[in-house]
Amino acid sequence: DVAAISAVYGPENIAVVHFDAHFDGIPLLFGHYLSHGAPVRRLIDEGHVLGKNFIQIGLNSAKPGGSDLAWMRKNQIKYHFMGEIDRYGWEEVMKRVLTEQVRKRGVKIADRVMINDLLVSFGQNQCKPISPLCSRFKIRRYCDRVGVNVSR
C-alpha cells in the first residue's frame, strides 16, 4: 500500500512504477472520486507520492486525454506509452525508467521489487495454466514461475 509506505518513509523518499494500459487518474468516474479509475489521481492529489517520482508504463487506451496529460505534466508524472515500448522494446524502456528517472532523482530502489500483478495482461494472456509462453515475457526476473513445469 503506497499510502502506508509514504507514511513511514515520506512521499519524497519513495517512487512508484505503475504498469498499466490505463492511467488511472480520472478525477471523477460517474461523479465519484473513489473509484477504480482514480487511484493514481488520489495518490498524487493527496500527497502520498510526488508526481515527479511516479512513472507510468504501458499506457494504451483512450485515456489519458488532453486535460489528463496537462494534469500529468503539471505534476511532473513520467509516462511511457505502449507505442514507445513497441518501438524500442521493454528492456530499453525499463532501462530508461530505472536509470534516467528514478536514480537521477536520488530515489532508492528497494532490493525486492513489489509489483501489483506485474503486467496483468501477461497473467491473462501469456501465463496460461498449461505450458505458459514464458519466452514472450521480457522481464522474467519478476516471475516466480510457481507451478510451471513445462513452458514455451
Side-chain angles (χ1 to χ4, degrees):
D1 181 81
V2 176
I5 293 170
S6 177
V8 173
Y9 297 102
E12 67 282 353
N13 295 314
I14 64 169
V16 174
V17 180
H18 179 235
F19 294 89
D20 201 332
H22 307 102
F23 94 114
D24 291 347
I26 297 171
L28 294 173
L29 185 63
F30 304 113
H32 298 280
Y33 185 62
L34 303 175
S35 76
H36 73 281
V40 171
R41 173 79 61 159
R42 293 184 60 213
L43 287 172
I44 304 298
D45 287 352
E46 294 174 9
H48 298 295
V49 64
L50 302 178
K52 69 180 185 178
N53 292 341
F54 200 98
I55 304 163
Q56 294 192 300
I57 301 172
L59 297 175
N60 191 27
S61 67
K63 288 287 208 171
S67 62
D68 304 315
L69 287 169
W71 175 81
M72 292 165 77
R73 288 183 187 118
K74 176 184 149 209
N75 286 285
Q76 301 176 330
I77 296 171
K78 302 299 178 199
Y79 49 88
H80 300 271
F81 285 89
M82 278 305 299
E84 180 182 353
I85 294 163
D86 290 340
R87 183 172 184 182
Y88 301 107
W90 274 109
E91 291 176 19
E92 178 59 29
V93 172
M94 290 304 297
K95 180 180 174 184
R96 289 178 189 179
V97 168
L98 295 175
T99 60
E100 296 173 9
Q101 304 302 333
V102 178
R103 291 185 183 138
K104 281 187 179 178
R105 295 182 185 288
V107 178
K108 294 180 180 161
I109 301 170
D111 291 337
R112 180 157 173 82
V113 178
M114 294 171 51
I115 298 175
N116 180 18
D117 295 330
L118 177 67
L119 303 176
V120 172
S121 66
F122 276 100
Q124 294 172 344
N125 301 312
Q126 307 299 324
C127 295
K128 310 264 183 210
I130 299 173
S131 190
L133 302 170
C134 296
S135 62
R136 292 188 185 171
F137 193 41
K138 300 298 182 192
I139 38 182
R140 282 183 279 224
R141 67 178 175 215
Y142 299 119
C143 178
D144 293 331
R145 298 184 68 185
V146 176
V148 174
N149 296 319
V150 177
S151 67
R152 296 180 276 155

